[in-house]
Amino acid sequence: MPVDNPNVVDIVATRDDLDEVLLVITDHLEWHEVDEHLLTLQEKINGYLAFIESGELLRKYPNAAGKKVRIDVALKHPLPSDGEQFFERARGIVELAGFRLSWRVPAA
C-alpha cells in the first residue's frame, strides 16, 4: 500500500543483528499539487506514529522490542523546496516523539 493509504504501514523491516526497526513509506506520487502531496505525507507519517505509539508495532513485530524506530520515506520523484522544508519540520516533530525520520530521493 503506498503513501495515499494512510491507514496501512507499507513496509516494516527488522533484523536481529541491528538495533533499529525501519518503517518505510513508499511515495510514488508526483508533485503537481504540492500542498495536497504534503498533506498526504503528513497523514501517512501521523498514521505511522499512531502505529508505533499505540503498541501495534510491538504486537505485530515483537522482535522490534528494545530497538530504535526510524520512519523512512522512499520518494519516486525529486522534492520541491517546499517538500524539503516539510521534511525538516517533520523530522523535528518525529524526534520529539522519540523516533527518527529519514527520506530518500531518486538519484538525478
Side-chain angles (χ1 to χ4, degrees), residues 65-84:
K67 296 181 185 243
K68 296 174 187 162
V69 177
R70 178 164 51 110
I71 299 170
D72 183 63
V73 183
L75 297 152
K76 182 175 181 180
H77 302 283
L79 282 172
S81 61
D82 289 352
E84 191 70 38

Side-chain angles (χ1 to χ4, degrees), residues 10-11 16 27 41 45 48 51 53 59 66 84 88 95:
D10 301 341
I11 299 169
D16 291 336
D27 183 350
L41 281 166
I45 292 169
Y48 274 45
F51 177 76
E53 292 173 339
R59 283 192 299 279
E84 191 70 38
E88 291 297 337
E95 287 177 355

Side-chain angles (χ1 to χ4, degrees), residues 14-75:
T14 63
R15 283 184 24 192
D16 291 336
D17 60 331
L18 296 179
D19 70 341
E20 181 177 67
V21 58
L22 188 65
L23 282 67
V24 180
I25 295 172
T26 58
D27 183 350
H28 67 288
L29 300 176
E30 295 190 30
W31 290 94
H32 299 301
E33 300 291 331
V34 174
D35 290 341
E36 184 176 316
H37 192 151
L38 293 175
L39 181 59
T40 299
L41 281 166
Q42 179 180 333
E43 290 173 349
K44 189 73 167 190
I45 292 169
N46 287 341
Y48 274 45
L49 289 172
F51 177 76
I52 300 162
E53 292 173 339
S54 70
E56 190 173 356
L57 170 65
L58 295 179
R59 283 192 299 279
K60 289 187 174 183
Y61 302 92
N63 61 340
K67 296 181 185 243
K68 296 174 187 162
V69 177
R70 178 164 51 110
I71 299 170
D72 183 63
V73 183
L75 297 152

